[in-house]
Amino acid sequence: MNNGLFDAAVWEKAWKEDPKAMANKFKAMGMDPHRSFDHKAKVFNEEVFSSAGRDRSERIISWMEGQGVDFNGLTVLDVGAASGGFTVPFIERGAKVTAVEPNIPLSELFLHNTAGYAPGQVELVREAFEDIDIAAKGWLNAFDLVFVSMCPAVFDWESAEKVISCARQYCYISTSAGVQEHSLMNEVLPLLTGRAVHAESSDMAYLMQLLYLKGYSYESIVTRETKSKELSVEAALAEVIEMLPMHHLDGKEATLKAVTEYLHTAYPDQKVVIRQGGRFGKVLIKLQDLNMYSRAAAAKQ
């Protein structure tokens, strides 16, 4: 057995240096993760507050409640709050929320979505969490729950520790647990690269191993979440072009020609149904009550 499996330093170094880890992929592409939603903030907001989006947030919150989290009166730090898809149901359950969201279009939508709540119940900090001095802010062990859902603020162990250090009772982190599924890209990439799409890295795998090696108590779950949409051939081509850099491909004429020909051949009715999603990991770190939670036992108290 390789001793590195149980060496936290090995895993910390591997996560930080893995070129396939999400943060390093963004850096290699020259992308600013805090600006990547600028052009799609409105559509994202509509999806988050749609019936399906609200159902998704309710499933996640209900899972947390099933582990003993009572939001009534809880202080919450929502890191990467986007337009408030989780902040709003937290407030509705009686929590007091401090939200962190640096993206300008999303933060404007956040203010609109939370405008009707009582003063003092929600606060928005329009900075990147990575740039915040949490000691100077007074955020060390300051929140009952720190909530980080699919946010680039967690990109290595040092950043994970920074998030956890703000929490008193619980810290929730979710991130990708495998290759991102996009049915059209899965069809196109083998055509362009000659290789099938497969998982190359997983931030969740690093996070889970390090939480284990560092001695944390936690509940975790990995699920597969997907959604579908129908696009015209032109819109589908535009989406493929936007995603090419994520796979270290460019939009040269030969590439566009190959994708265009494929789309017209594979979708003669000019309607492209795309299924996208993937496997996602969710972990609830427990910092006070470290034993297994029992609803039955809690009900007797």
Side-chain angles (χ1 to χ4, degrees), residues 11 15 21-22 63 150 154 172-178 201-211 218-223 279-284:
W11 283 84
W15 191 2
M22 190 56 65
W63 177 74
M150 303 302 297
V154 174
Y172 170 95
I173 301 173
S174 70
T175 188
S176 174
S201 183
S202 168
D203 290 282
M204 192 66 187
Y206 288 116
L207 177 63
M208 293 297 295
Q209 182 70 1
L210 283 163
L211 287 172
Y218 53 88
E219 305 270 357
S220 63
I221 184 172
V222 174
T223 62
R279 295 173 73 216
F280 300 94
K282 307 161 184 64
V283 59
L284 181 67

Side-chain angles (χ1 to χ4, degrees), residues 11-124:
W11 283 84
E12 289 182 45
K13 184 174 185 291
W15 191 2
K16 184 181 289 289
E17 297 178 355
D18 185 349
K20 302 297 184 181
M22 190 56 65
N24 291 331
K25 288 182 71 173
F26 276 124
K27 289 178 183 176
M29 294 161 52
M31 290 179 61
D32 179 355
H34 301 302
R35 299 296 304 275
S36 62
F37 270 84
D38 281 5
H39 66 292
K40 51 189 174 183
K42 183 178 179 181
V43 172
F44 174 81
N45 180 64
E46 290 171 353
E47 290 180 353
V48 164
F49 285 96
S50 69
S51 176
R54 291 297 295 259
D55 285 347
R56 173 182 171 272
S57 61
E58 285 298 316
R59 289 198 304 273
I60 291 171
I61 294 171
S62 294
W63 177 74
M64 295 170 66
E65 290 174 327
Q67 313 306 323
V69 180
D70 181 358
F71 285 90
N72 188 28
L74 211 68
T75 57
V76 179
L77 178 64
D78 187 356
V79 178
S83 61
F86 284 100
T87 288
V88 168
F90 291 160
I91 295 171
E92 291 173 345
R93 282 169 162 80
K96 181 179 179 181
V97 181
T98 298
V100 177
E101 179 51 60
N103 181 273
I104 294 173
L106 286 174
S107 62
E108 292 296 327
L109 289 164
F110 179 96
L111 292 173
H112 173 77
N113 293 332
T114 59
Y117 295 102
Q121 196 169 7
V122 59
E123 174 190 0
L124 176 62

Side-chain angles (χ1 to χ4, degrees), residues 242-293:
E242 182 179 353
M243 296 180 68
L244 286 176
M246 290 289 292
H247 301 277
H248 307 289
L249 296 169
D250 55 48
K252 290 183 178 179
E253 184 177 350
T255 300
L256 299 183
K257 184 174 183 292
V259 175
T260 302
E261 290 178 352
Y262 173 81
L263 288 170
H264 284 291
T265 301
Y267 300 93
D269 60 356
Q270 306 294 294
K271 296 178 180 178
V272 184
V273 176
I274 296 175
R275 295 174 303 281
Q276 60 187 117
R279 295 173 73 216
F280 300 94
K282 307 161 184 64
V283 59
L284 181 67
I285 305 161
K286 299 185 174 184
L287 302 171
Q288 289 187 7
D289 298 323
L290 306 184
N291 58 307
M292 182 182 292
Y293 177 77

